[in-house]
Amino acid sequence: MLKQRSINTLASTDDDLRSLGLSSLDMVNLVLSVEAELDVKIPDADITPAKFRSIATIGTLVAALLRDK
């Protein structure tokens, strides 16, 4: 998604995605992309800035959802 937005910053797993340049709309698209790519439904209660702050926090969320699936 960073590449699609022409953001050429190397991102580590703990970098804040908003600080790298992703907008609110990008974040919504990120939620939808994660759901589609990983075949997981993210409950509305889990769609929070804290849980989508970084690649690491998204990974933690997805791992928990897949474990509970």
Side-chain angles (χ1 to χ4, degrees):
M1 187 168 284
L2 292 171
K3 188 182 271 188
Q4 290 173 345
R5 299 268 294 126
S6 298
I7 300 169
N8 296 320
T9 303
L10 290 177
S12 77
T13 57
D14 293 316
D15 285 339
D16 186 311
L17 297 173
R18 289 181 154 236
S19 295
L20 294 175
L22 293 184
S23 68
S24 296
L25 182 57
D26 293 328
M27 299 306 278
V28 170
N29 288 328
L30 180 58
V31 171
L32 298 173
S33 294
V34 168
E35 288 181 324
E37 290 293 322
L38 302 175
D39 192 31
V40 65
K41 172 66 177 124
I42 301 171
D44 290 344
D46 286 329
I47 302 173
T48 65
K51 292 188 179 182
F52 280 82
R53 184 189 67 75
S54 67
I55 296 167
T57 59
I58 296 168
T60 300
L61 171 62
V62 169
L65 292 172
L66 292 174
R67 190 174 45 246
D68 294 342
K69 196 173 184 185

